[in-house]
Amino acid sequence: MTNIDSRIEWGLCKKVWNVPGYYLLFYERDMFTILPKRAFGSKEQEEQFKAMAHRKISPELTQIFS
């Protein structure tokens, strides 16, 4: 699909996991959004997303897995 627009309510997001192929944005223990890495148009867009996640969610709450 093309031209999909999605908004993230960062105030509700408690942690972000970076797993192979995806980012998982957790709101509650069993509530999360799956963001495929292929959704980013470039490496720069993905880096901007990661920087925003670190700004919006305390780094202590951000868990990164490779």
Side-chain angles (χ1 to χ4, degrees):
M1 298 180 113
T2 59
N3 299 327
I4 294 176
D5 187 18
S6 180
R7 306 284 177 192
I8 296 171
E9 184 62 48
W10 287 105
L12 300 175
C13 193
K14 297 190 169 138
K15 62 185 168 184
V16 177
W17 286 2
N18 178 359
V19 299
Y22 302 93
Y23 289 100
L24 305 176
L25 288 74
F26 286 85
Y27 306 103
E28 295 295 333
R29 182 173 171 220
D30 57 350
M31 290 179 55
F32 58 92
T33 297
I34 299 172
L35 178 59
K37 291 180 181 178
R38 62 181 158 72
F40 296 102
S42 67
K43 236 355 184 177
E44 182 179 282
Q45 283 183 348
E46 185 175 355
E47 290 302 317
Q48 289 174 347
F49 166 78
K50 287 167 43 176
M52 186 179 305
H54 281 286
R55 279 195 315 272
K56 300 289 186 177
I57 304 168
S58 157
E60 294 82 32
L61 297 177
T62 303
Q63 298 183 21
I64 305 294
F65 297 100
S66 299

